[in-house]
Amino acid sequence: CGAMRKLTCALLCLLMILSIAFCLTACKSRTDEMADQEIYTEKQMNKMKNKVIKCINEQDKEGLKKLFSKDAQKHIEDLDGKLDQLIGAFNGNKIESAKGEGSGFEGSVSTQPIHIYEDYNITLNNGDEYTLFVSFCDKNDNEPEKVSLIQIELRTFSSEKTPKDFSGGTYKDDYGIFIYTLQNYPKE
C-alpha cells in the first residue's frame, strides 16, 4: 500500500510538472506571437509611411492614388480633388521627418483582416509641424480589393497645438482623405 501511495504521488508530481511546463510554453509562445505580430506590423507601417511620404514629397498624385485599396478608390468621393488638396496643403514643402505618436493594429495572421494605423508628428523643411494619420488594411485574403491604404488624415498643426475641443477626427476604418486646419476641424 505504501508503494502504491509513492507511485501515485510520483505520478501526480509528474503530471503537475508537465502541466506547469505546458502552461509556461503556451504563455511564452503567446507572448512571442504578440511580439512577432508587433514587429511585423511595425515593418508594414514603416513601408506604408515611407511610400505615402515619398508620394507627398514628389507631389505624385497618381502614385498616392495607387496606394489606396481598390475598394477605397471606388468609395472615396472626389478622390482626385482630395488628393490635390492633400498635396496642396504642403505648399510645395517637403516632409523631413515623421515621428510615430502611437500605432495600433486589429486582427492577426490567424484572424484577418489586419488593420494597421499610426499617428505621426511630421516636420516640414520650412519648420512647420503637422500631424499625419495613416490607416491601412494589410491582409485580407477573403477580400483582396480591400487591401492597402484606407485613410489619410492630415492636421495642418502639431499635436501640441491641437485645440482642446478637437474631436479626434474620423474613425480609423473610414475610407477617405481628411484635411483639418486650426480654422476648420471637427469639434466635440
Side-chain angles (χ1 to χ4, degrees), residues 8 12 18 27 34-35 67 76 85 89 96 100 104-105 112 119 129 134 141 149 156 178-179 181 185:
T8 307
L12 279 172
L18 284 172
C27 291
M34 285 302 287
L67 291 179
I76 298 173
Q85 286 178 339
E96 285 194 340
F105 64 90
Q112 292 185 31
D119 262 318
E129 290 184 5
V134 176
D141 291 344
L149 201 54
T156 60
F178 306 94
I179 301 156
T181 65
Y185 61 89

Side-chain angles (χ1 to χ4, degrees), residues 96-128:
E96 285 194 340
S97 71
K99 292 187 182 110
E101 276 266 286
S103 63
F105 64 90
E106 290 167 3
S108 70
V109 176
S110 55
T111 57
Q112 292 185 31
I114 303 175
H115 281 207
I116 303 174
Y117 45 89
E118 181 150 23
D119 262 318
Y120 295 97
N121 278 326
I122 57 175
T123 306
L124 309 188
N125 60 351
N126 68 350
D128 284 353

Side-chain angles (χ1 to χ4, degrees), residues 54-97:
K54 185 175 187 265
C55 288
I56 289 170
N57 281 347
E58 293 175 359
Q59 299 185 2
D60 180 5
K61 180 175 141 181
E62 281 309 306
L64 204 48
K65 188 177 186 175
K66 284 178 190 158
L67 291 179
F68 279 89
S69 72
K70 287 185 175 74
D71 202 50
Q73 287 182 43
K74 275 193 286 184
H75 288 92
I76 298 173
E77 213 174 296
D78 187 25
L79 180 58
D80 286 310
K82 287 187 175 131
L83 287 164
D84 286 335
Q85 286 178 339
L86 177 70
I87 290 168
F90 289 89
N91 297 315
N93 294 299
K94 295 194 182 325
I95 298 170
E96 285 194 340
S97 71

